[in-house]
Amino acid sequence: LGRQNFASKSSSAPEVTGTEILSMEARGEFFSMTYNFMLGQGLRELVAHVTPQVAHVLREHTVRSRLDAGSLTSVLRQIRSRVEGDSPNASASPLLRFVICQQTAATDVRVQGMLDETWDTVESPAFLAALGDALDKSLEVLSAQLKATLFTEPLDTAVSSSSAATPPMKPLVNLLAHLKPHRTVLHVDNGRVVHADAVTSIPSVSTFATAVFDQVD
């Protein structure tokens, strides 16, 4: 999006759009400051940021602690809140610093122009609202899936009336294995990611996407 916006606004080469305005060196620098950063330094910084927040939320639990579906969702929500920080008046998501390099300016002015356009997009109130709603929906989908797979007894299981009123509980050590990426990236029958399918129907996400692509067009 940053590249397309920069190309569409470029007064120095108005007839050139897309990747054609970039040399191989410039493309390499752009990808290094975005994708390579996100999957390298950004990911390491994210892990370093998330780890103490998880430890703080779980400080009163042990691996033998038993949680029901509601308690597990509450734990995940608390971790997310601490990771994102309590900044109701923030103009941009604090998660962005793990995605796009901010510490170093690009050597190619065109690359810097694309990064600036990218920041203009993701620092907008519309993106902040869409991201928040998307993360809410993603947690909702994950919680529903965990409840269905871990906390729902088989229909043919005999349950006494006294135990039926008590939500099923699982040891935390058993739940952790089901929170790994290969377990939480869920798919439907046609191979589409459940989280992505749920997010596309969110009004704020649709509004943001429409506004951005209309601007690019």
Side-chain angles (χ1 to χ4, degrees):
L1 292 176
R3 183 182 64 205
Q4 294 293 345
N5 281 343
F6 176 74
S8 66
K9 295 179 180 180
S10 176
S11 58
S12 60
E15 74 284 358
V16 183
T17 59
T19 59
E20 296 175 6
I21 64 171
L22 294 178
S23 64
M24 290 299 296
E25 292 76 11
R27 294 183 195 183
E29 184 176 23
F30 179 73
F31 289 133
S32 177
M33 299 185 72
T34 52
Y35 296 108
N36 288 355
F37 173 82
M38 178 176 63
L39 298 175
Q41 181 182 341
L43 184 58
R44 291 191 295 272
E45 292 180 359
L46 176 61
V47 171
H49 177 64
V50 169
T51 299
Q53 311 309 328
V54 174
H56 179 86
V57 173
L58 295 179
R59 68 190 185 282
E60 297 179 358
H61 297 278
T62 69
V63 292
R64 295 184 177 84
S65 297
R66 299 178 68 85
L67 302 176
D68 59 24
S71 298
L72 178 59
T73 298
S74 177
V75 165
L76 295 175
R77 186 173 290 112
Q78 291 176 58
I79 292 173
R80 176 191 163 191
S81 177
R82 291 189 62 84
V83 167
E84 294 183 35
D86 297 322
S87 302
N89 297 320
S91 59
S93 170
L95 300 178
L96 294 177
R97 70 182 187 272
F98 305 117
V99 179
I100 305 176
C101 180
Q102 304 178 61
Q103 293 82 14
T104 306
T107 58
D108 190 300
V109 294
R110 295 167 300 176
V111 172
Q112 189 59 51
M114 290 190 297
L115 292 172
D116 291 342
E117 288 292 340
T118 301
W119 275 113
D120 287 345
T121 299
V122 298
E123 287 184 325
S124 66
F127 178 84
L128 183 63
L131 178 61
D133 290 345
L135 291 174
D136 288 342
K137 176 59 70 172
S138 186
L139 179 58
E140 178 184 319
V141 170
L142 174 60
S143 298
Q145 184 68 11
L146 292 173
K147 181 177 181 179
T149 57
L150 301 177
F151 297 99
T152 301
E153 299 291 343
L155 294 177
D156 57 353
T157 301
V159 181
S160 66
S161 58
S162 58
S163 62
T166 304
M169 305 183 75
K170 303 288 184 178
L172 178 60
V173 65
N174 293 353
L175 297 175
L176 293 177
H178 293 271
L179 295 175
K180 294 182 178 180
H182 72 280
R183 294 289 186 92
T184 57
V185 178
L186 312 174
H187 295 78
V188 292
D189 293 339
N190 63 3
R192 295 178 62 85
V193 179
V194 173
H195 293 268
D197 285 345
V199 165
T200 56
S201 62
I202 300 175
S204 61
V205 173
S206 300
T207 299
F208 171 75
T210 300
V212 168
F213 287 107
D214 283 349
Q215 177 181 348
V216 171
D217 294 339

